[in-house]
């Protein structure tokens, strides 16, 4: 199999077959992000021969495992959905050729990757199996989106996700706790709830900002241009987000950046989640949580 650098996938794609179709990120400018710093290039698409060769290898391996079916493929790289419609079609056709049991194809996507597809193309991609995209929107706070160089606005998130809704392509969000900076966490949480309430994310996954010295954000902090939230403030921010979400969705904080992992279905589990967070806010000290943050050497 061809895999390049660290391979990232959402926790809920643990059962999916990971196929590398891209490596790196076309944007590579978000100030907090160090995810693809281990690559010697910014972005590349895998040659179609490599993708086909990997699918052939998986087909041979699956033959040896009687009864094992592969239902879902997750395309790796920061934003494979940036690939042209024609390339995404060609990849879906290859997957069907070698692994006809596959029912859906997911990947990470940037909001700007959706913009470049027409409504008709999105509908055809859905028919070919593209579904369950994971989008790191991070926040609905325009001030934070701009400062961190995310490359889109909250209005873009709403517009492009409404297009996914129309094409019946489901999507999950990553929310980055603390992206709004010290003193603005709860403002960012409310702004994020406002945009999420206008669209239909299947899941909102919270990750807590963990700042590494090789990030541009670290330099901004050294220059005195930005201040990070305290750890307890991060829990208050998540609390505010959960409190203000009015849509049915799954809320999950499952990655390594979360000292306490939890998930639940909204609105059904709202009370349970809020009381879990209240217990942390009341009983766990800032120092303990900071200790955990320092121990997160790698996401
Ligand atoms: S956060 Fe996502 S879009 Fe931004 S640079 Fe990192 S991988 Fe690329």
């Amino acid at each position: 199999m061809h895999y390049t650098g660290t391979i990232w996938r959402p926790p809920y794609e643990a059962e999916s077959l990971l196929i590398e179709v891209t490596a790196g990120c076309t944007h590579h400018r978000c100030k907090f992000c160090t995810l693809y710093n281990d690559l010697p290039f910014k972005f590349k698409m895998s040659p179609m021969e490599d993708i086909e060769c990997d699918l052939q290898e998986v087909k041979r391996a699956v033959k040896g495992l009687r009864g094992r079916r592969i239902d879902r493929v997750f395309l790796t790289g920061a934003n494979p959905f940036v690939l042209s419609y024609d390339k995404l079609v060609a990849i879906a056709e290859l997957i069907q050729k070698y692994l006809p049991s596959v029912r859906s194809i997911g990947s990470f996507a940037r909001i700007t990757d959706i913009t470049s597809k027409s409504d008709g193309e999105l509908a055809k991609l859905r028919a070919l199996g593209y579904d369950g995209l994971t989008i790191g929107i991070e926040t609905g706070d325009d001030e934070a989106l701009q400062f961190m160089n995310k490359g889109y606005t909250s209005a873009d998130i709403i517009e492009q996700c409404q297009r996914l809704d129309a094409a019946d392509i489901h999507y999950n969000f990553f929310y980055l706790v603390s992206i709004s900076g010290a003193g603005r966490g709860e403002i960012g949480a409310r702004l994020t709830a406002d945009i999420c309430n206008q669209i239909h994310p299947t899941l909102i996954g919270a990750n807590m900002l963990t700042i590494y010295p090789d990030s541009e954000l670290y330099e901004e902090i050294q220059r005195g241009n930005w201040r990070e939230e305290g750890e307890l403030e991060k829990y208050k921010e998540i609390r505010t987000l959960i409190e203000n979400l009015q849509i049915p969705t799954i809320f999950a904080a499952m990655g390594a950046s979360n000292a306490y992992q939890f998930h639940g279905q909204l609105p059904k589990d709202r009370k349970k989640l809020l009381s879990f967070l209240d217990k942390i806010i009341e009983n766990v000290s800032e120092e303990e949580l900071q200790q955990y943050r320092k121990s997160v050497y790698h996401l």
Side-chain angles (χ1 to χ4, degrees), residues 170-191:
H170 299 87
Y171 47 92
N172 305 309
F173 284 162
F174 277 176
Y175 172 75
L176 188 58
V177 185
S178 189
I179 190 173
S180 295
R184 295 194 75 251
E186 291 186 70
I187 298 170
R190 281 198 191 88
L191 290 168

Side-chain angles (χ1 to χ4, degrees), residues 28 55 61 65 67 79 82-83 91 93 100 129 131 174 185 203 228 239 241 247 254 278:
H28 202 57
L55 290 167
L65 303 168
N79 59 328
V82 75
L83 296 178
I91 290 168
E93 286 173 352
D131 197 20
F174 277 176
L203 175 148
E228 188 184 6
R239 195 190 187 291
L241 176 58
I247 44 165
M254 299 303 289
D278 285 340

